Amino acid sequence: MTTGSAEEVLAIDVQNLIDSLHQAEDGGAETAQNSTEEPVPEKLPEQGSEIDVDVVELASTGEGLAVQKGSKRVYVVPFAVPGDTVKVKVYRHLRDEGYTVADFVSVVTPSPSRDDSRVQCKYFATCSGCQFQMLDYAHQLQLKKRIVEKAFRHFSQLPPELIPAIQDTIGSPLQYGYRTKLTPHFDGPAGWRRGKQPFESCPPIGFMAKGKRNTIDIEDCPIGTDAVRLGMKRERERMTAEYGKYTRGATILLRESTKRIPKNISEEEAARASPPPPEDAAIRVETDEYTDLKTCVTDNNGQSTEYVGPYVFHNPAGSFFQNNNSILPVFTDYVRQHILPPTLSPASPPQPSSSTPTPTPTPTPTPTTSTPPSATPQIKFLLDAYSGSGLFTITLSSILPPGGRSIGIDIAESSIRYASRNATSNSLPPERARFVAADARDLFTAELRAACAADETAVVLDPPRKGCDADFLRQLLAFGPRRVVYVSCNVHTQARDVGVLVRGETEGGGLAAKDGGKEDGGKDKDKEVVGKKTRYAIESLRGFDFFPQTGHVEGVAVLNRVDE
């Protein structure tokens, strides 16, 4: 299985550009085939030298791909977009890979799409965090749509006719001030590996420089929420006084947490129930219905509280939870609208904020089934693999009919404890939403198969960046739920896994379990899967922009089981 790593994605984009440059030559492939002469190796500029290059393509990793005039050598350049001519400093020639890594120096001639007055951070083009601050937001969304398109073209191993048109990327209501979690850090003092000498002065605290191993001292990050930025200021002040206590580097957690006070309760009453944070440590946000006091948690073992629409979620502050709260109501509503088949969806598609340049979802055809819609069983069960603290298990539970239930599974026991608590906080009894601490590959047990009929079950997948492993996909195909919604922070591993589900087989045509395919008294699960030959059709694909100003895009793929 492909890894979908940044290195693999970049290598594919570079090779495709190299191929297109050669094909654009006069005579093309025919000239190359008829020539008996060995190509003359191109003399490359010395490492450390500065040259001008023209950016002709954007890699899915966010870097610009550029060429020097009169050359087909590809240079990978950060902070540059197609149409730019930029001055770069040659860093390293990767001869086997066929490209050169270069550092951005300056813009010689800007692209029509570049406007540096849009940049809101003085560390942009040095810090490794953002890539797109110079671009109009609508243009950023177009680029991210193309990233999803390329991911499914190159990683799904599916013919084009099985991949529907990628829908427009849903934008974030906030393009700055959106990140509810940041993790600045500082490096250890000189010689810290050899001894335990403390710092003699406060070290730089911030983020990594692009292409370097040093930390830039960054006092403020405009993509963080106001509470996170306040927390960053306070932590820097603390370090100014306490740096002498440290003998090695460390990462600082900055996680927003919200205390919500309804307007029909006085702040005095609320204070008696739960003491408010100090005024100088909180950001106050007023709405018609409530007052939010937003603070920054810095203890990894502490607790953060977050609201997503009408739902409340408590989490270990250091654990994973989506980092852009502004888009979460739109995002969860979208999954809610698509977890059921179109004829059974509970309401009209979600409408993002009018201030956000986002499209209304467009309809796409669904695959035909052998059962008339009127006779199709109702979806009663929701299985949430990689459930974390219950985001989808809880926000989707209300769409199930009486007697239906949501089941979430996560390998982290602490996440399951918080998920169960979150269900209680959202008035969901255990018979409506329950959680199991186990690996996702252990989700489809015999007990579960007996309790949840595949025809009445929808599955939500939200795995880590590496995607699903072959063993999990084998079990998913063996169970064969009616509908699958696959959410991913890595659209390349998502495309790879969706390709497996559409073909109905894993790599090599077999679905080998880690125990050789046998379990429960020697039953051969591989034969069960291959004989059943479950496969899926893609109903829709689209991106969500959880991280404006960066090259990252979240993908949502909606799949229907094909009944033949």
Side-chain angles (χ1 to χ4, degrees):
M1 297 176 77
T2 57
T3 64
S5 67
E7 294 78 13
E8 184 179 19
V9 172
L10 178 60
I12 290 173
D13 282 344
V14 168
Q15 189 57 53
N16 285 332
L17 177 56
I18 292 172
D19 292 345
S20 69
L21 291 173
H22 283 287
Q23 290 170 6
E25 276 190 302
D26 291 338
E30 184 178 347
T31 299
Q33 290 174 359
N34 294 336
S35 174
T36 59
E37 297 181 5
E38 289 289 329
V40 179
E42 181 178 347
K43 184 178 180 180
L44 301 177
E46 292 184 6
Q47 294 186 20
S49 63
E50 293 187 358
I51 61 174
D52 291 354
V53 294
D54 297 324
V55 183
V56 296
E57 181 61 272
L58 190 74
S60 292
T61 53
E63 286 96 354
L65 303 181
V67 294
Q68 201 175 11
K69 282 184 171 58
S71 168
K72 293 188 292 294
R73 181 72 179 184
V74 174
Y75 294 82
V76 177
V77 185
F79 313 116
V81 293
D84 278 340
T85 298
V86 294
K87 185 179 293 296
V88 301
K89 185 175 183 179
V90 177
Y91 176 65
R92 181 185 300 158
H93 297 300
L94 303 177
R95 296 184 183 275
D96 292 340
E97 291 84 350
Y99 66 89
T100 295
V101 178
D103 293 329
F104 173 86
V105 176
S106 62
V107 176
V108 177
T109 305
S111 164
S113 61
R114 174 186 284 272
D115 181 353
D116 287 335
S117 69
R118 297 188 180 109
V119 175
Q120 295 190 25
C121 178
K122 65 181 181 181
Y123 300 103
F124 180 71
T126 303
C127 172
S128 59
C130 295
Q131 295 87 44
F132 294 161
Q133 288 193 24
M134 78 294 270
L135 297 177
D136 175 70
Y137 190 52
H139 190 189
Q140 293 185 35
L141 297 179
Q142 293 170 1
L143 292 175
K144 296 187 182 192
K145 177 180 178 179
R146 189 156 182 266
I147 289 172
V148 180
E149 290 172 341
K150 290 196 296 180
F152 277 83
R153 185 187 316 141
H154 299 315
F155 284 83
S156 70
Q157 299 182 15
L158 294 174
E161 60 269 20
L162 295 184
I163 304 173
I166 309 300
Q167 297 180 7
D168 291 338
T169 303
I170 297 288
S172 172
L174 296 177
Q175 290 92 56
Y176 284 91
Y178 64 83
R179 279 201 69 127
T180 54
K181 179 185 178 183
L182 288 174
T183 51
H185 61 272
F186 55 90
D187 302 323
W192 68 270
R193 294 181 185 276
R194 298 188 300 272
K196 294 187 177 181
Q197 295 300 315
F199 286 102
E200 296 180 357
S201 61
C202 189
I205 303 170
F207 305 101
M208 295 292 287
K210 179 65 177 177
K212 304 291 191 302
R213 294 185 177 181
N214 64 293
T215 299
I216 309 171
D217 192 51
I218 296 178
E219 74 280 2
D220 187 30
C221 180
I223 64 173
T225 65
D226 288 344
V228 166
R229 295 168 77 177
L230 177 59
M232 189 171 185
K233 178 182 177 182
R234 290 168 62 88
E235 282 298 287
R236 287 175 62 86
E237 291 172 349
R238 179 186 66 80
M239 279 296 299
T240 300
E242 299 181 6
Y243 66 82
K245 298 180 180 179
Y246 291 85
T247 59
R248 60 178 57 201
T251 296
I252 298 173
L253 172 67
L254 303 173
R255 165 72 83 176
E256 181 178 281
S257 183
T258 301
K259 177 182 174 61
R260 177 161 289 181
I261 305 171
K263 287 294 176 91
N264 59 1
I265 297 177
S266 71
E267 292 196 28
E268 290 74 15
E269 290 179 88
R272 284 195 293 270
S274 175
E279 287 191 11
D280 64 348
I283 300 295
R284 190 182 186 95
V285 179
E286 300 283 356
T287 72
D288 292 339
E289 298 177 359
Y290 46 76
T291 298
D292 279 347
L293 300 178
K294 295 183 177 291
T295 56
C296 185
V297 180
T298 58
D299 180 0
N300 277 278
N301 297 316
Q303 175 186 291
S304 64
T305 298
E306 192 154 347
Y307 290 84
V308 180
Y311 303 97
V312 61
F313 293 91
H314 308 289
N315 300 281
S319 69
F320 172 79
F321 196 78
Q322 294 287 2
N323 291 339
N324 182 346
N325 181 271
S326 76
I327 199 174
L328 278 178
V330 175
F331 178 64
T332 53
D333 280 350
Y334 183 88
V335 175
R336 173 188 170 92
Q337 300 302 330
H338 291 78
I339 194 65
L340 301 180
T343 55
L344 301 177
S345 292
S348 59
Q351 297 297 318
S353 166
S354 59
S355 62
T356 306
T358 55
T360 300
T362 54
T364 54
T366 56
T368 57
T369 63
S370 57
T371 309
S374 60
T376 302
Q378 188 177 22
I379 296 291
K380 295 180 180 178
F381 306 104
L382 169 70
L383 305 183
D384 181 7
Y386 315 95
S387 66
S389 59
L391 177 65
F392 293 119
T393 316
I394 291 170
T395 59
L396 301 178
S397 61
S398 63
I399 67 174
L400 299 176
R405 57 179 170 160
S406 301
I407 302 172
I409 185 168
D410 197 276
I411 196 170
E413 291 188 5
S414 62
S415 293
I416 293 302
R417 287 195 298 271
Y418 271 88
S420 299
R421 176 185 173 187
N422 289 334
T424 301
S425 297
N426 289 283
S427 303
L428 288 173
E431 59 269 19
R432 288 290 289 179
R434 72 181 182 92
F435 296 89
V436 180
D439 196 299
R441 66 168 62 97
D442 299 324
L443 175 59
F444 304 105
T445 61
E447 178 187 3
L448 182 138
R449 294 185 192 200
C452 303
D455 285 349
E456 299 175 343
T457 301
V459 172
V460 177
L461 307 178
D462 187 8
R465 291 190 61 80
K466 67 180 181 179
C468 304
D469 62 28
D471 187 53
F472 174 81
L473 294 175
R474 172 186 59 78
Q475 292 193 53
L476 179 63
L477 286 167
F479 179 59
R482 172 121 154 263
R483 198 160 169 89
V484 175
V485 175
Y486 190 142
V487 174
S488 178
C489 59
N490 184 340
V491 292
H492 303 93
T493 53
Q494 180 191 47
R496 177 200 68 197
D497 295 346
V498 167
V500 169
L501 297 176
V502 171
R503 293 190 301 276
E505 58 188 15
T506 57
E507 187 175 3
L511 296 170
K514 295 197 173 182
D515 59 0
K518 306 223 179 209
E519 60 181 52
D520 296 335
K523 182 178 180 181
D524 193 327
K525 297 189 78 175
D526 290 350
K527 289 182 180 178
E528 176 187 351
V529 175
V530 173
K532 187 176 181 182
K533 189 60 177 179
T534 302
R535 65 184 182 88
Y536 288 82
I538 305 173
E539 179 181 301
S540 63
L541 299 168
R542 97 179 314 149
F544 280 76
D545 188 17
F546 272 72
F547 299 101
Q549 319 309 330
T550 79
H552 298 287
V553 60
E554 194 98 356
V556 179
V558 181
L559 310 177
N560 284 306
R561 189 186 65 206
V562 176
D563 295 330
E564 297 175 312

